[in-house]
Amino acid sequence: MRIKQFGIIVLATAALSACSSNNTQITSRDDSPYLTQAQAMARSARVSNVSYDLDFKLDGSDSFANQTTIRFTLSDNSSPLTLDLSKANIQRLEINGHVLYPNYNGLYLSLNPKLLLNGDNLVKVSFTRKHSTNGEGLHRFVDPVDGKVYLYSHFEPAAAQQMFAVFDQPDIKATYKLTVRAPADWQVISATREDNIVNDGDFRVWHFPVSPKLSPYNFSLHAGPYHMWQDDKSGPYPMRLFARQSVASQVYPQDWFRYTAAGLKFFENYFGVKYPFKKYDQVLVPDFLYGAMENAGAITFAEGRFLYKAKMTKDQQQMLAGVILHEMAHQWFGDLVTMKWWNGLWLNESFASFMGTLATANATEFDYAWRSFYAGGKQGAYDKDSRVTTHPIEVPVPTTGNAFDNIDAITYSKGASVLKQLRHLLGEEVFRKGVSEYLHTYAWQNATLEDFIGSLAKAANRDLSQWTQDWLYTAGVNTLEANFQCSNGAISSFTLTQTAAVTGQPVLREQKVQIALLRKHRQQLALTKTVAVTYQGARTQVPTLIGEQCPDLVYPNYDDWGFVKVKLDDKSFATARNQLASVTDPLLRSMLWQSLWDSVMAGNLPLNHYLDTVFVNLPKEHDYTLIGQILRTLHTSQHWLAQMAPLHADYRDQVARALAQMSLRLTMETAGNSDLQRRWFDAYIDFASDAESLAHLNELLDGKAKLDGIILDQDTRWHIVRQLNRYDYPGSKALLKQEAAKDNSDTGIKAAIAATVIRPEAEIKREWLGRIQHQSGEAFPKLRIAMANLYPAEQQLLNSATAEERLDTLAQMDQSKGPVFMRSYAPTLIPTECNHSSVNRLQQAVKDNPTLSVITMRTLKELLQEEQRCVVVSEKITR
């Protein structure tokens, strides 16, 4: 920290003396980098009417300069006030016209109460700071292809303080006026559209008008020589799309604009509230920590998830549409109306997941979006909610450091599923009216869960307090089973039985579901009856089904209204196993497949029996979404079998060959259907581990072999190179070097890292483990790639070589690296081996490390539970 000579040393000295005299009050906020909820609430009770004038100087170097001018009203100046600013080199601090030496600890400024007014205040802070390189704050990226520099901001949950001085908490909303001096060939993007650009030699000065009131994490600044596409004709709001110049050819702007325009129209109609901002910008950025971020009017998307070097598949297009619409829903629910504190983040994400899927199903060509949701996100929620670490949807968040502790499949997909079933319970129009009322009432404000539920309750004219308690404040997924008896070919009794995994005081919830009855009929398993039932408690009689023809299969959550696991009765389970291909409804077929897989994970159906069913039925399947769902279970099966070796080594090798051969055969049979063929070919690459399949991949790579309809784009070439190196195919190391020499893009560099670290070489493993643990040699986004590829399941000896070391240093890593790093490190580098010794080792690690952070301890316990599950699955195999 340095301070210029301002000619007012006496004032600065007096200010320092005043700060010293109030030292007890000033240190009431400790030197933690995280703000507690209590501290945040105390600050927001005092501070209001906040506005920021932000003046940035950006030149592409590794540092930037800023002057933050903050105007605010203070209701109580009897104690110090803190202003968040992280790791800055402060050059000047001015409080209400007084320039003074800053009381600054590298995390926040303590503003002397003797210089603050009970009323309107003005604070100016000038500083320089290095750009971030871990995806937070104002992140800097240098394109390896052309050397161009790109910047983008990411502030959630509390990283705005890495870019300017700020009251960095969601319930202190403010307006933002922005000025940016940047190189002349750069674009600058923020929450508002620039209203003036002035040339200044090799630079331009961009002026942005005052923004609407936003929480700090919703504001943004992105700058660099981005390529821009523009569409001002598809709707009432101008739409722009930005990407790095070197990847512009991989962007399909027509898809982006089409889904964006459709979404804006759908949401305005659904909410009854106009889009809150005057323009809609979307920016593809590198090294992004997450999938996307809902910055107001300037949404950011992770390049790695939305850029492809071949024509997008149907699956990729649907994911693009879904994420665009998820982030768009946030413009109303999160940006226009914002939670008061981070315990409300789940509602933002749950609602956006629900509305994003609803919009995808109703406003795009992907009318099967809810089937995709069931097969993907919802299964993740069921799994997470069945873990020993499950948690309620609504949980306390003591500090900003804990904001993402519970951001998982429960937050996103269980929350979305709960909202979906609430919509069925209340009625679609009642639910919509409640949401619209909420947005109208709390526009530009902060709101609570009680505010949201209250709006729905008012629309429904119903007390939702018990529903809220059961669904949002208690954890765990319930199981639903149909119990019925037949007499003389007709149903004589029918009961829904609800059970809870939690013992002691199980929570039995209320929800509305559909029951489906099916009977074998010629070549089909035909649907004969559906009935809607609202059930609650342990047992619910369904008298309306008495007298119906006795079914061969009953499914008690038809069309997936409810969030509940289904346990098939014995007769229905047997029918499902034998009649899968004859079920014409693809969603029901998907749910029956899931019932079989759930039985494997519960240890009730041997894995080999499940795989036998797959090899008979999967080749007959032509539904793109369902094939993807089943393939995910096969990837897990292959992973388990690889870990189980040598116990089931022969069976593992047999399954591996069968999976590769099936995938190759279906790749050839689906020529002419590019989406299905690419799905099967990607599966073939993933499953290839035997010598014959690897040799074939090698021949495809060098052009000695071909497959009709398959073109090896650069992403696919890297996929093959990684697989060949994973199994140390002869010559694969040389192929890696050749491919890296041809592709020096960011994705090429990361693909080369993946292919390198996955090689079964102890020296490589040791070198990269050291780089990861010491964060030396590579930036964090590249280290994340290495973590994910370092120890594949079949490399157990190499995994074991450093397993004890990784567990012994886990607490040290957790303490020193922080939550962003550990969210990648813990799931990939805590060792697992699918045997009793590994289970014991992880149990001991849980006991030995009681002070682990919430997120790391949760990961450790979940990996322990997964190990126990893998051991059970291994012991149930009957071959």
Side-chain angles (χ1 to χ4, degrees):
M1 178 175 59
R2 60 190 178 90
I3 185 167
K4 295 181 179 178
Q5 299 298 317
F6 298 118
I8 47 173
I9 300 299
V10 173
L11 176 59
T13 304
L16 279 173
S17 175
C19 288
S20 299
S21 67
N22 287 277
N23 188 59
T24 301
Q25 292 175 312
I26 290 172
T27 56
S28 61
R29 181 174 169 184
D30 62 20
D31 288 339
S32 169
Y34 306 117
L35 184 71
T36 70
Q37 182 178 13
Q39 291 164 346
M41 297 306 100
R43 185 162 66 179
S44 63
R46 302 172 64 198
V47 174
S48 61
N49 301 321
V50 181
S51 68
Y52 298 95
D53 284 1
L54 304 174
D55 191 333
F56 287 92
K57 291 180 173 58
L58 310 174
D59 60 10
S61 67
D62 62 358
S63 298
F64 64 92
N66 169 264
Q67 177 177 291
T68 302
T69 301
I70 313 167
R71 295 174 175 84
F72 60 94
T73 301
L74 189 64
S75 64
D76 172 15
N77 66 341
S78 62
S79 60
L81 181 70
T82 61
L83 185 64
D84 305 308
L85 181 61
S86 172
K87 299 179 181 178
N89 180 8
I90 297 177
Q91 297 173 312
R92 180 182 174 92
L93 172 64
E94 180 181 328
I95 302 177
N96 292 323
H98 302 292
V99 180
L100 67 156
Y101 191 86
N103 185 350
Y104 179 57
N105 62 358
L107 301 170
Y108 55 84
L109 289 151
S110 290
L111 305 183
N112 191 329
K114 294 187 176 181
L115 300 177
L116 294 172
L117 304 175
N118 192 345
D120 294 339
N121 290 266
L122 187 148
V123 175
K124 293 182 179 181
V125 187
S126 299
F127 66 91
T128 60
R129 189 192 192 279
K130 284 190 176 294
H131 286 285
S132 303
T133 58
N134 70 341
E136 293 187 310
L138 188 57
H139 180 91
R140 177 177 180 267
F141 176 87
V142 181
D143 194 323
V145 173
D146 54 22
K148 295 183 185 296
V149 174
Y150 294 87
L151 311 177
Y152 64 85
S153 68
H154 179 77
F155 296 155
E156 190 179 36
Q161 60 195 272
Q162 297 182 33
M163 198 176 91
F164 58 96
V166 58
F167 300 116
D168 207 353
Q169 58 190 79
D171 66 336
I172 300 184
K173 285 195 167 187
T175 60
Y176 301 80
K177 185 177 180 182
L178 180 64
T179 302
V180 180
R181 184 176 186 269
D185 63 337
W186 281 23
Q187 298 283 346
V188 181
I189 307 113
S190 188
T192 57
R193 189 79 168 263
E194 70 280 358
D195 57 7
N196 191 24
I197 304 175
V198 179
N199 292 324
D200 183 14
D202 293 335
F203 291 81
R204 292 193 295 175
V205 180
W206 297 63
H207 297 276
F208 294 81
V210 175
S211 75
K213 288 180 66 176
L214 299 170
S215 294
Y217 82 96
N218 295 138
F219 181 68
S220 65
L221 167 61
H222 321 297
Y226 287 99
H227 183 87
M228 180 180 73
W229 297 267
Q230 188 159 348
D231 183 341
D232 295 330
K233 300 178 181 179
S234 297
Y237 309 103
M239 298 182 293
R240 299 186 300 179
L241 177 65
F242 299 86
R244 287 187 293 130
Q245 293 182 28
S246 66
V247 300
S249 62
Q250 300 175 43
V251 179
Y252 297 87
Q254 65 277 9
D255 290 332
W256 288 79
F257 291 140
R258 179 161 53 92
Y259 298 138
T260 302
L264 287 168
K265 182 178 179 180
F266 175 84
F267 284 129
E268 285 195 336
N269 289 335
Y270 188 91
F271 294 141
V273 177
K274 290 293 184 182
Y275 170 62
F277 309 105
K278 294 181 179 180
K279 51 89 176 180
Y280 206 92
D281 290 338
Q282 296 172 103
V283 191
L284 283 154
V285 299
D287 288 351
F288 204 55
L289 288 170
Y290 311 104
M293 177 61 201
E294 66 268 19
N295 314 303
I299 300 90
T300 42
F301 293 80
E303 280 183 356
R305 300 193 187 189
F306 303 101
L307 292 183
Y308 309 98
K309 294 176 181 175
K311 181 182 177 181
M312 293 175 70
T313 66
K314 184 166 60 174
D315 196 43
Q316 291 164 345
Q317 286 180 312
Q318 184 187 351
M319 182 176 71
L320 173 63
V323 177
I324 286 174
L325 296 174
H326 175 107
E327 303 306 328
M328 187 180 292
H330 275 307
Q331 303 300 300
W332 284 266
F333 210 101
D335 295 1
L336 175 64
V337 181
T338 313
M339 71 271 170
K340 286 184 179 291
W341 182 244
W342 296 107
N343 62 308
L345 182 58
W346 77 266
L347 185 54
N348 281 7
E349 297 303 344
S350 294
F351 189 82
S353 296
F354 168 77
M355 285 304 307
T357 308
L358 184 68
T360 303
N362 288 276
T364 75
E365 65 268 34
F366 307 109
D367 54 2
Y368 52 86
W370 283 113
R371 285 207 291 119
S372 300
F373 175 80
Y374 170 81
K378 193 167 190 178
Q379 296 313 313
Y382 283 144
D383 179 67
K384 203 75 169 178
D385 210 19
S386 302
R387 300 279 183 170
V388 294
T389 55
T390 187
H391 56 84
I393 293 176
E394 171 81 12
V395 294
V397 176
T399 77
T400 54
N402 303 110
F404 284 171
D405 283 353
N406 297 294
I407 298 303
D408 54 22
I410 292 175
T411 306
Y412 280 76
S413 298
K414 180 181 178 180
S417 301
V418 165
L419 291 175
K420 182 186 178 190
Q421 62 92 352
L422 180 59
R423 178 171 171 256
H424 283 294
L425 187 66
L426 301 182
E428 295 183 9
E429 183 59 19
V430 168
F431 183 86
R432 189 201 66 77
K433 286 182 178 179
V435 170
S436 180
E437 175 70 19
Y438 172 77
L439 293 173
H440 275 101
T441 302
Y442 299 102
W444 307 113
Q445 301 176 54
N446 295 91
T448 65
L449 172 62
E450 289 73 22
D451 297 327
F452 177 67
I453 295 297
S455 296
L456 294 177
K458 180 181 177 182
N461 192 27
R462 170 178 171 165
D463 183 357
L464 291 176
S465 56
Q466 188 61 51
W467 182 93
T468 302
Q469 177 62 36
D470 291 346
W471 282 101
L472 305 182
Y473 288 97
T474 60
V477 56
N478 293 356
T479 298
L480 188 64
E481 183 177 7
N483 296 288
F484 62 96
Q485 298 292 327
C486 292
S487 178
N488 298 321
I491 296 175
S492 56
S493 67
F494 197 108
T495 304
L496 290 178
T497 302
Q498 179 184 192
T499 56
V502 180
T503 58
Q505 294 182 325
V507 177
L508 300 178
R509 302 175 172 97
E510 175 191 10
Q511 63 180 329
K512 190 175 184 179
V513 295
Q514 285 189 106
I515 301 170
L517 309 183
L518 297 98
R519 281 184 57 83
K520 300 173 188 175
H521 181 69
R522 295 180 183 176
Q523 302 301 315
Q524 294 183 0
L525 191 61
L527 179 68
T528 61
K529 179 78 173 180
T530 61
V531 59
V533 176
T534 299
Y535 72 86
Q536 55 187 326
R539 294 171 61 83
T540 301
Q541 303 289 336
V542 189
T544 56
L545 290 178
I546 294 176
E548 294 290 335
Q549 193 173 17
C550 192
D552 294 305
L553 187 148
V554 174
Y555 198 84
N557 189 23
Y558 183 71
D559 211 26
D560 194 35
W561 286 10
F563 183 80
V564 64
K565 281 198 165 187
V566 169
K567 181 182 179 183
L568 294 176
D569 62 275
D570 291 344
K571 182 179 181 181
S572 297
F573 188 85
T575 302
R577 279 198 65 190
N578 296 321
Q579 301 289 325
L580 275 172
S582 66
V583 178
T584 56
D585 182 339
L587 176 56
L588 180 58
R589 202 160 66 248
S590 172
M591 299 171 96
L592 294 175
W593 271 107
Q594 190 60 44
S595 290
L596 298 184
W597 181 244
D598 287 344
S599 294
V600 174
M601 293 193 293
N604 297 324
L605 179 67
L607 177 61
N608 55 294
H609 289 183
Y610 175 79
L611 293 175
D612 289 344
T613 303
V614 169
F615 288 127
V616 170
N617 288 277
L618 185 54
K620 304 174 188 176
E621 184 59 64
H622 300 289
D623 184 85
Y624 184 83
T625 301
L626 184 46
I627 290 171
Q629 174 187 344
I630 300 168
L631 284 174
R632 284 190 287 273
T633 70
L634 296 181
H635 287 303
T636 301
S637 300
Q638 186 187 46
H639 176 86
W640 279 342
L641 288 168
Q643 284 195 315
M644 292 172 190
L647 187 59
H648 300 292
D650 291 342
Y651 182 59
R652 173 203 63 190
D653 295 342
Q654 175 189 338
V655 169
R657 286 192 299 271
L659 289 174
Q661 290 167 5
M662 178 181 69
S663 301
L664 176 58
R665 175 165 60 85
L666 290 167
T667 297
M668 294 187 288
E669 290 179 2
T670 53
N673 184 329
S674 61
D675 288 320
L676 269 185
Q677 186 179 41
R678 285 178 62 180
R679 171 149 278 178
W680 280 117
F681 185 61
D682 284 342
Y684 174 52
I685 299 172
D686 286 334
F687 291 137
S689 60
D690 61 285
E692 181 181 351
S693 299
L694 294 171
H696 183 227
L697 288 180
N698 188 55
E699 290 174 353
L700 289 170
L701 197 64
D702 66 16
K704 293 178 181 177
K706 293 187 180 298
L707 288 170
D708 288 344
I710 295 296
I711 298 174
L712 301 187
D713 59 88
Q714 187 59 62
D715 291 335
T716 306
R717 292 184 66 84
W718 274 119
H719 192 181
I720 293 173
V721 167
R722 175 184 174 276
Q723 193 72 359
L724 293 174
N725 277 274
R726 175 174 182 168
Y727 293 97
D728 197 18
Y729 184 79
S732 58
K733 204 168 188 177
L735 287 173
L736 194 166
K737 292 180 179 178
Q738 293 170 18
E739 212 64 36
K742 291 189 299 182
D743 183 8
N744 68 336
S745 67
D746 179 55
T747 54
I749 292 170
K750 289 174 179 173
I753 291 173
T756 298
V757 302
I758 207 168
R759 289 186 57 77
E761 295 184 25
E763 185 176 344
I764 290 175
K765 306 294 185 190
R766 174 61 66 180
E767 176 193 351
W768 275 93
L769 181 61
R771 290 194 194 189
I772 292 166
Q773 291 180 333
H774 301 293
Q775 288 188 270
S776 58
E778 300 289 349
F780 177 66
K782 295 181 175 64
L783 294 179
R784 285 201 301 170
I785 300 294
M787 292 178 200
N789 289 275
L790 196 57
Y791 294 111
E794 73 281 354
Q795 295 179 11
Q796 290 289 25
L797 290 177
L798 292 166
N799 181 18
S800 298
T802 61
E804 295 292 346
E805 172 192 336
R806 282 178 278 148
L807 282 178
D808 289 345
T809 59
L810 182 62
Q812 176 187 340
M813 295 289 294
D814 185 51
Q815 184 178 15
S816 63
K817 298 300 185 183
V820 171
F821 184 93
M822 292 306 294
R823 279 196 294 271
S824 293
Y825 182 90
T828 55
L829 292 180
I830 292 176
T832 60
E833 296 177 5
C834 192
N835 55 46
H836 288 288
S837 295
S838 178
V839 168
N840 294 336
R841 183 170 61 196
L842 292 180
Q843 287 174 332
Q844 191 62 45
V846 171
K847 294 177 182 177
D848 291 345
N849 295 281
T851 60
L852 288 176
S853 66
V854 172
I855 191 68
T856 302
M857 178 59 82
R858 176 176 291 135
T859 303
L860 178 60
K861 289 181 177 179
E862 288 177 355
L863 288 170
L864 168 59
Q865 188 176 11
E866 187 64 20
E867 281 288 79
Q868 293 167 328
R869 173 184 287 170
C870 187
V871 169
V872 170
V873 170
S874 176
E875 292 173 344
K876 293 289 183 177
I877 291 176
T878 58
R879 305 176 69 133

